[in-house]
Each structure stands twice: as structure tokens, then as C-alpha cells.
Amino acid sequence: MVELCAIASGSNGNCYYIGNHRDAVLVDAGISARLILARMNKQNLDSSRLKAIFITHEHSDHAMGARVLSKRLHIPVFLTSRTFVGMYPNQKPFAPRFFEPGQEIQVGSFRIHTFLKNHDAAEPCSFRIEHDGMHVGVFTDIGSACDNVRRNLQMCHALFLESNYDDTMLREGSYPLLLKQRILSDHGHLSNDQAFELLKNYSGTQLEVVFLSHLSAENNTPEKAIGRFTELKEKYNIRLTSRYAPGEVFKLGKRFEQGTLDFS
Ligand SMILES: [Zn+2]
Ligand SMILES: [Zn+2]
């Protein structure tokens, strides 16, 4: 059984928990270490299970808490060397563990598959986390979905999937033109429409749950995001994440033919 929780999700901070009864990893630490630990505590997620932090890219909404959290818990931070160079000095972890995009890393009983994606960062990566035949994808900060994203998405049983902006809200909103162009570009973010098309066309039949993630506060609303996925709600369990509070702890179990769940 795998437990999932969006500790924080949005343009002001991202942190995703994936764990079992013994081991856990965080994907990104984009809020303060103190807040990550407080939110984990609130959801009864034991921080002593945390064995590693994986950083997708150097933007502060993904990296700002990594240094302090890794020091406090004495756990490694996995990132690419180019991401490390791109980080602000006060975010750089003390003892980074470098990986090459495409490399697989074993942490306890979890296997982390790393791959490059399109985003305006030094060496942006996403992760698919495998445990006992179950696959969890954390796919945010994606300008346009490349083959890597599509291929990894096809294998997932659970997904944190970026649904950053409503196209009309962004185009008619108050952001400066340059920022709008950056978000809309192939190296910006996934819109509600793009996320919907990606899910509709590339998800596998085993996919169970999708958490819409990294919603923009300015250019999206939870209602617009989840409303865009109405067509797929019969097929998948589609849920929201929040920037303000930790999400629910979702237990992803192995589904047997009878439709029962294995929580061993
Ligand atoms: Zn981000
Ligand atoms: Zn980013």
C-alpha cells in the first residue's frame, strides 16, 4: 500500500509525499521546512519515515525548504548538478546527491524513475515512483508534454498532474505580456485544457486517481480546473490539491479482480 499526500501545491509552493509504513520520499520542498513538518504532522505522516527529497528544478516554489529540511532530518537531497548550480545559495542542500536524467534510484522499497521534461529551468525533471508494482507520477511545471511525460504517464496508477491555468483567465488577466507568453510557451506550464487532453489521450487503463496540481491563484479556480475534467470523472477519481493546506492522505492499494483493496 502506498500513501500519497500533496503537502503543498501551487505557484507559491510544492511538496508531494509518497510513502508506505516504513519509508517515504518527498518530491520537492517548495515551502519552509517548518511548514512541511507541521503539515505532515497534521496529517499523521511520520517524518522519521522520510528517507530522501527529490528536487524537480531550481525554482523556489520547488526548492526553498530543501536545505533546512535535509539538515534537520539528516536525509539526502537528490537533484541534477545543473539544478544544483541554478539554485539560490541559501537553498542549496549541504550534501547533494546528483543523478543524471534517465537514471533510476532506489530508496528503501521505492524506485524513483527520473526523466527530463520541458520547462524554463536549467535541467527540469519529473519523477515516477514505483513501489510493489504501483506507479505514482508527479508531473508539474510542464510547458508541453514530451514523449518522456507521455510514456511515464501511461504507466501510472496515481498522478499529481499540473492543471495550472484557465486559458481565457490567463489571456484576459492582469499579468504582463512577457509573463503570459512565458506561461503559455512550450517551456511554461500546462493549462487545464492541455492537462485534460494529456490525460484523455495518454493515461493507461490502470490509472485510479488524479490530483490536479500546481493551480495558479491568479489564472485559475478550483471550480474551473475540476470542471474541465467532468468528462473523465466516471473513469478516474479526480481530486484537487491546495496551496493553503495539506491534502487528504490517499491510500493507493492493489486492486484485485473482485474489486477489493489490499492494504498489506
Ligand atoms: Zn512551479
Ligand atoms: Zn517551475
Side-chain angles (χ1 to χ4, degrees):
M1 194 264 291
V2 186
E3 288 186 327
L4 316 172
C5 180
I7 305 294
S9 184
S11 35
N12 57 350
N14 292 273
C15 182
Y16 305 91
Y17 172 100
I18 297 114
N20 64 9
H21 62 285
R22 197 181 59 225
D23 308 312
V25 298
L26 290 180
V27 172
D28 289 330
I31 55 176
S32 73
R34 182 188 55 77
L35 201 50
I36 290 172
L37 292 172
R39 289 186 178 191
M40 283 183 61
N41 191 41
K42 191 175 175 198
Q43 299 303 74
N44 293 317
L45 296 170
D46 183 354
S47 63
S48 71
R49 292 179 194 157
L50 284 179
K51 300 296 187 297
I53 303 166
F54 286 79
I55 299 294
T56 56
H57 63 297
E58 69 273 22
H59 293 161
S60 63
D61 62 317
H62 297 263
M64 66 98 70
R67 180 184 178 93
V68 174
L69 190 63
S70 64
K71 192 179 176 197
R72 190 168 299 172
L73 299 180
H74 304 286
I75 56 174
V77 177
F78 288 88
L79 73 181
T80 76
S81 57
R82 291 178 69 193
T83 295
F84 180 78
V85 169
M87 278 178 159
Y88 292 115
N90 62 357
Q91 294 175 353
K92 286 180 178 169
F94 295 101
R97 299 275 292 275
F98 296 126
F99 66 84
E100 292 289 331
Q103 200 176 325
E104 296 178 10
I105 300 152
Q106 192 76 28
V107 176
S109 50
F110 291 85
R111 189 159 193 84
I112 290 81
H113 302 259
T114 71
F115 59 91
L116 279 173
K117 65 184 175 189
N118 293 327
H119 189 55
D120 58 351
E123 200 165 32
C125 292
S126 274
F127 306 115
R128 172 170 52 86
I129 293 117
E130 180 182 358
H131 173 72
D132 197 20
M134 308 293 281
H135 299 258
V136 180
V138 183
F139 303 155
T140 70
D141 298 70
I142 295 169
S144 62
C146 59
D147 285 347
N148 283 347
V149 169
R150 292 169 179 167
R151 197 172 50 247
N152 281 279
L153 189 145
Q154 274 172 351
M155 296 180 223
C156 286
H157 297 78
L159 270 181
F160 293 97
L161 179 63
E162 171 166 60
S163 195
N164 187 273
Y165 63 91
D166 172 79
D167 209 64
T168 307
M169 282 181 78
L170 176 66
R171 288 179 196 276
E172 295 178 357
S174 61
Y175 274 15
L177 185 61
L178 270 179
L179 183 55
K180 286 183 184 181
Q181 285 170 343
R182 190 219 130 206
I183 294 169
L184 287 162
S185 79
D186 280 352
H187 289 79
H189 292 275
L190 279 186
S191 69
N192 296 342
D193 288 342
Q194 289 172 314
F196 170 79
E197 292 296 332
L198 182 63
L199 191 62
K200 187 178 174 185
N201 295 324
Y202 292 98
S203 55
T205 52
Q206 77 288 353
L207 181 65
E208 186 177 328
V209 63
V210 181
F211 294 89
L212 303 181
S213 301
H214 211 306
L215 270 65
S216 164
E218 281 281 323
N219 304 308
N220 210 353
T221 65
E223 295 74 23
K224 278 190 189 294
I226 203 138
R228 184 64 186 86
F229 288 80
T230 304
E231 190 186 319
L232 297 176
K233 276 176 96 173
E234 297 287 301
K235 211 169 168 188
Y236 309 121
N237 184 353
I238 297 180
R239 301 181 177 226
L240 285 164
T241 57
S242 169
R243 67 186 52 232
Y244 303 109
E248 65 190 305
V249 177
F250 187 88
K251 295 179 193 309
L252 183 69
K254 241 182 198 170
R255 200 174 280 281
F256 286 113
E257 282 174 17
Q258 301 94 319
T260 55
L261 296 172
D262 170 26
F263 291 118
S264 60

